[in-house]
Amino acid sequence: MALDLLREARSRRWVLALALGTTGLLLLVAFGLELEVVDGALAASRFLGSRAGRDIRPADVALRPLFTGVAYAVFYGGAVVGVLACADFAPAALAPGRIEQLLALPLRRAELLLGTYLGVLLLLAGGALYGGVGLSLIILFKTGLFGWAPAAAALLGVAGFAAVYAVMLLAAVLVRSAALSGAAGGAALAAFVVAGQRAELAPLFSAGWGRSLFLALTAPLPRLTGLAEHAGRLAEGRPAAPWLLAAQLGGAALFSAAVLLVALTLFDRKDF
């Protein structure tokens, strides 16, 4: 089912357009930005809008703000593109006529649904790695420095998107609508960002049932900003906090598994 989804994605024009757009963006970065190592400090300062001083710094230090900005852009940009690009895969597979054809194959319902989920993640991981590794190679070519930050940010972004797409898949099982699936993905993405800042946002609510309700609702949600901060830490050359990263990835995986279990239960009970 996952391979079938990848073949279907290859035949869609908008997927080809997305790949061409990513390639165009990479070419723009390759030929449009002045990032040669001689001008590295000045270029990185210009990129983030700050003024360069007269101090001479190593190129890898000067370019850390650039790597950090690229890591955050890849992480959140990939998640937004994923919501928009993958909203109609599950509704298309569950559409009348198509679902009856799929159920006639020697496939269990769980394989059908999980295959769709896995296929979307493979598609997004391929696109994210293409963009992330491409940026790393361009920065290597322009500055002589190789950083895994864009690729690491892309992989962490896919890990976060796995939880987002679980919600989108559940929405598609409930109502076979690409618009609703995309809206659910956008809402989940925003909720996961809010959950990552729940400690900072909680004081905005008056003490009492309002704050307690906010904390209770956001407690089981994945901390998407935590994964993004780890992408930024890696970009800055700071060591990751392994236990914290493992907890964030584990939380996202546990949430995804719980939502997928609900989707599977509902899917098994549907009469097609």
Side-chain angles (χ1 to χ4, degrees), residues 134-158:
L135 274 175
S136 293
L137 293 177
I138 288 171
I139 294 173
L140 172 65
F141 177 74
K142 301 286 280 187
T143 68
L145 296 172
F146 184 79
W148 285 104
L155 291 177
L156 288 175
V158 173

Side-chain angles (χ1 to χ4, degrees), residues 8-19:
E8 180 184 341
R10 190 178 57 184
S11 66
R12 295 190 179 189
R13 291 183 179 179
W14 60 262
V15 173
L16 178 61
L18 195 60

Side-chain angles (χ1 to χ4, degrees), residues 30 88 101 156:
D88 69 333
Q101 182 184 7
L156 288 175

Side-chain angles (χ1 to χ4, degrees), residues 221-223 227 230 241-254:
L221 301 181
R223 312 294 195 259
L227 290 175
H230 261 99
W243 289 108
L244 182 58
L245 179 59
Q248 291 164 350
L249 291 173
L254 192 61

Side-chain angles (χ1 to χ4, degrees), residues 28-265:
L28 178 64
V29 172
F31 296 105
L33 292 181
E34 297 177 0
L35 287 175
E36 281 73 10
V37 69
V38 175
D39 298 326
L42 181 60
S45 299
R46 285 175 179 169
F47 190 86
L48 293 180
S50 61
R51 183 173 298 177
R54 294 184 177 180
D55 297 336
I56 297 177
R57 295 175 295 168
D60 60 333
V61 175
L63 289 174
R64 280 179 186 172
L66 172 61
F67 286 135
T68 304
V70 168
Y72 278 103
V74 169
F75 185 92
Y76 286 114
V80 172
V81 169
V83 169
L84 297 175
C86 302
D88 69 333
F89 279 116
L94 299 173
R98 176 76 185 281
I99 184 62
E100 289 82 359
Q101 182 184 7
L102 290 173
L103 290 176
L105 300 174
L107 283 175
R108 288 180 293 181
R109 291 195 175 199
E111 293 173 337
L112 196 156
L113 205 63
L114 294 179
T116 302
Y117 180 75
L118 180 61
V120 166
L121 294 188
L122 287 175
L123 177 66
L124 192 69
L129 283 177
Y130 175 65
V133 175
L135 274 175
S136 293
L137 293 177
I138 288 171
I139 294 173
L140 172 65
F141 177 74
K142 301 286 280 187
T143 68
L145 296 172
F146 184 79
W148 285 104
L155 291 177
L156 288 175
V158 173
F161 183 76
V164 175
Y165 192 70
V167 176
M168 294 172 66
L169 194 59
L170 174 60
V173 170
L174 290 171
V175 180
R176 293 178 288 193
S177 165
L180 182 64
S181 178
L189 185 58
F192 297 166
V193 171
V194 169
Q197 302 296 321
R198 60 196 296 268
E200 291 78 9
L201 294 174
L204 297 178
F205 295 85
S206 56
W209 67 268
R211 185 182 298 178
S212 300
L213 180 63
F214 172 75
L215 292 174
L217 290 176
T218 54
L221 301 181
R223 312 294 195 259
L224 208 61
T225 54
L227 290 175
E229 287 170 6
H230 261 99
R233 287 173 65 95
L234 295 174
E236 293 170 1
R238 292 188 292 157
W243 289 108
L244 182 58
L245 179 59
Q248 291 164 350
L249 291 173
L254 192 61
F255 178 86
S256 303
V259 175
L260 286 176
L261 183 60
V262 175
L264 282 172
T265 303

